Amino acid sequence: MDRTAQRTPRPAGRTVAYDPSSTAPSPAPPLHVRAAAVLEAGWTGTSTVPSRSLYPHQWSWDSAFIAIGLRHVSPLRAQTELDTLLAAQWADGRIPHIVFNPSVPLDAYFPSPDFWRSSTAGRAAGAPRTVQTSGIVQPPVHALAAWLVHLADPGLSRARGFLTRVYPRLAAWHRYLLHRRDLGGGGLVSVVHPWEQGMDNSPCWDRPLSRVTPAPARSFRRADLDHGSPEGRPTDLDYGRYVRLASDYRDRGYADGGIEGAARRASVEGGGGRRAGEFAVEDPAFNALLIASEYALARIAHELGAASTARQARAERLTAALVERLWEPAAGMFLCRDVRAGELIPERGVSGLIPLLLPTLPRDLAATLVRTMCGPHFGLGGTTRLVPSYDLLGEAFDPHRYWRGPAWINTNWLLEGGLRLHGERGRADALRKGILHTADASGFAEYVDPYTAQACGATGFGWTAALTLDLLHDRPAGDGNGVTAIKGGDRG
């Protein structure tokens, strides 16, 4: 996703005349009330924007995370959130990373609908004609979100046919990823743009991005710099590369694997491998979230009376492929694979810790991930209260520059669930406490300095508020959470 980062200045203090009717400030509303108010402020009637002023459209994985929290406030609105997103699905199965609101001016956000030209450039891929979208995707959190929304009110869900309605769309989404995006031929999904993985300017992308010829600076206008300082945003050079990748993909009609390459070995999922473009990366977090959502789809299938064992088996095979292709023992974590170069990328990003959320991850690998998370590279429980987005010891680390160091609530929510899933209850409780404290103190900031928890980016951010609600409702009383909800086979 291309996000506009904003540092929010504190308003200057003002002198207030003495008011004898009020000698003490009113107490702040409870945290859950304030979190719910953020979601209410972002509600458009059919979906929730991440931030009214900065991100005025619907984002794919934002909506999934928002639905996970919104289910505690209104299961009906949480269902509607996902229904709205899935209504914009393309005929080839992809769920676009942005669904544009036609009432928002074109110059309010870049890349805007006239850049993506989905209804014309995406016609062969089955882009919808009645709504404008982007042409790339984001991490597949959606089936997990749908299952959790169902669990919030199963009676309402069944009465409205929610799972019956979303299941075929989610199944088509997974088929698209497994068969169209197996660019490495090893069974894992590749992203073809840094925005697809969600961690836009992570140092993990620097090496493969260096092969991309940037678009001329005068060929586009960076709306993000209207709201944030250049020091907190991707460089002009990188942004030019983002635009080049997106425009080339658009000009190929959003066809996957459009550049000639060597034949790939057969895929464990039957995709057989496709041709990799200039940028093709197998990312640990993207694939781990797909696996988690495969487990969730198995639960949904069982609820609907359909066979679920094939999906569970697929999730287990994908976990094995993830370990085979992306685990790096020397780093003590998973790394991204540059498909074009055929090698792992030697950068430690938070993405490489996210597979901790998988229930069948080998026990020794889970233990190693916990040690890495709590060691000097990420510092959890020591130098940092939340897990940063990038290696604290890495040359590219920057505590304020988007995904090059700051801590994000959504990744920490996933890791909290992973810790709890693998029996690390004490560490999970401490991380939960840190997330809630940070969300409260930062005004539900988009991301924070991992050392000081200083608010960065937008405040009143959608998924920060939503996942705060989820933590407040689900932990730690029953020791259950959104991630552990996928564990346990076919139990309803």
Side-chain angles (χ1 to χ4, degrees):
M1 74 192 127
D2 174 32
R3 288 282 179 71
T4 306
Q6 173 184 323
R7 301 288 175 79
T8 305
R10 296 184 180 276
R14 293 183 294 174
T15 302
V16 179
Y18 172 67
D19 180 357
S21 66
S22 177
T23 58
S26 300
L31 184 59
H32 75 275
V33 172
R34 286 179 280 132
V38 169
L39 299 184
E40 181 65 30
W43 179 245
T44 68
T46 56
S47 65
T48 309
V49 297
S51 168
R52 278 284 183 186
S53 60
L54 302 181
Y55 316 129
H57 304 288
Q58 183 179 26
W59 264 260
S60 173
W61 76 326
D62 289 72
S63 276
F65 285 124
I66 286 169
I68 289 170
L70 191 56
R71 68 191 173 116
H72 300 295
V73 177
S74 171
L76 177 59
R77 272 174 49 186
Q79 291 179 28
T80 303
E81 183 83 36
L82 296 176
D83 281 333
T84 301
L85 179 67
L86 292 172
Q89 186 174 27
W90 291 26
D92 66 3
R94 82 182 75 195
I95 297 175
H97 96 297
I98 301 175
V99 180
F100 290 104
N101 183 342
S103 68
V104 174
L106 287 178
D107 61 359
Y109 185 83
F110 179 83
S112 52
D114 58 342
F115 173 88
W116 296 104
R117 305 172 204 161
S118 61
S119 59
T120 53
R123 183 177 300 154
R129 296 184 179 182
T130 58
V131 62
Q132 294 295 312
T133 75
S134 65
I136 60 175
V137 302
Q138 277 189 323
V141 198
H142 312 89
L144 175 60
W147 177 243
L148 294 176
V149 168
H150 165 77
L151 292 180
D153 191 338
L156 176 68
S157 174
R158 291 169 185 142
R160 299 188 69 248
F162 173 64
L163 293 183
T164 301
R165 188 166 59 252
V166 302
Y167 179 76
R169 290 185 175 273
L170 294 170
W173 167 222
H174 286 205
R175 279 196 303 273
Y176 166 78
L177 293 173
L178 291 167
H179 294 281
R180 301 290 186 93
R181 289 298 191 88
D182 178 16
L183 304 181
L188 298 183
V189 174
S190 292
V191 295
V192 299
H193 196 292
W195 294 340
E196 291 199 315
Q197 194 271 353
M199 304 178 191
D200 304 13
N201 67 332
S202 167
C204 298
W205 319 135
D206 291 354
R207 181 175 292 192
L209 269 179
S210 68
R211 294 192 297 265
V212 178
T213 302
R218 294 182 179 179
S219 66
F220 58 91
R221 178 182 174 275
R222 292 188 60 178
D224 60 320
L225 297 183
D226 292 343
H227 303 282
S229 66
E231 291 76 17
R233 296 295 299 161
T235 64
D236 287 343
L237 178 62
D238 284 343
Y239 213 92
R241 287 170 170 148
Y242 301 155
V243 172
R244 171 72 71 184
L245 282 172
S247 61
D248 284 354
Y249 191 40
R250 175 200 65 204
D251 294 345
R252 297 200 307 271
Y254 298 110
D256 294 306
I259 294 179
E260 292 185 5
R264 308 291 181 180
R265 69 182 184 273
S267 162
V268 297
E269 285 302 319
R274 300 176 72 85
R275 291 170 297 190
E278 288 293 331
F279 183 96
V281 174
E282 293 173 352
D283 173 72
F286 194 104
N287 281 278
L289 290 168
L290 174 61
I291 295 166
S293 279
E294 272 293 304
Y295 281 116
L297 269 186
R299 302 295 295 275
I300 293 172
H302 180 72
E303 164 68 22
L304 296 176
S308 60
T309 54
R311 292 201 175 279
Q312 292 185 60
R314 181 181 294 118
E316 292 172 6
R317 290 197 300 272
L318 287 169
T319 301
L322 184 73
V323 172
E324 178 186 353
R325 291 182 65 79
L326 303 187
W327 178 253
E328 176 49 69
M333 63 186 301
F334 293 88
L335 300 180
C336 296
R337 177 176 290 276
D338 183 343
V339 173
R340 188 68 179 257
E343 61 187 16
L344 294 177
I345 299 170
E347 298 285 358
R348 294 177 173 90
V350 68
S351 173
L353 302 174
I354 300 300
L356 188 65
L357 62 83
L358 300 178
T360 61
L361 190 70
R363 186 172 300 179
D364 59 328
L365 269 60
T368 301
L369 285 178
V370 173
R371 287 195 297 272
T372 300
M373 191 188 311
C374 299
H377 292 286
F378 294 93
L380 181 65
T383 56
T384 66
R385 194 168 189 178
L386 300 184
V387 180
S389 54
Y390 177 66
D391 184 358
L392 297 170
L393 306 180
E395 292 184 5
F397 175 78
D398 184 328
H400 297 146
R401 193 182 285 271
Y402 218 36
W403 288 97
R404 300 179 81 87
W408 291 70
I409 296 301
N410 66 328
T411 53
N412 278 271
W413 178 86
L414 291 166
L415 292 172
E416 191 269 355
L419 287 167
R420 204 170 293 281
L421 180 69
H422 289 281
E424 294 283 349
R425 182 170 182 172
R427 287 190 171 99
D429 287 347
L431 182 53
R432 171 186 178 272
K433 184 177 180 181
I435 293 171
L436 292 176
H437 179 271
T438 299
D440 187 3
S442 70
F444 304 103
E446 184 179 5
Y447 54 97
V448 299
D449 182 311
Y451 290 121
T452 67
Q454 173 192 343
C456 302
T459 53
F461 194 68
W463 75 31
T464 301
L467 298 178
T468 295
L469 281 171
D470 189 60
L471 289 171
L472 287 170
H473 280 80
D474 275 359
R475 279 86 149 173
D479 212 29
N481 57 72
V483 172
T484 57
I486 64 172
K487 185 179 180 183
D490 286 337
R491 293 199 306 262

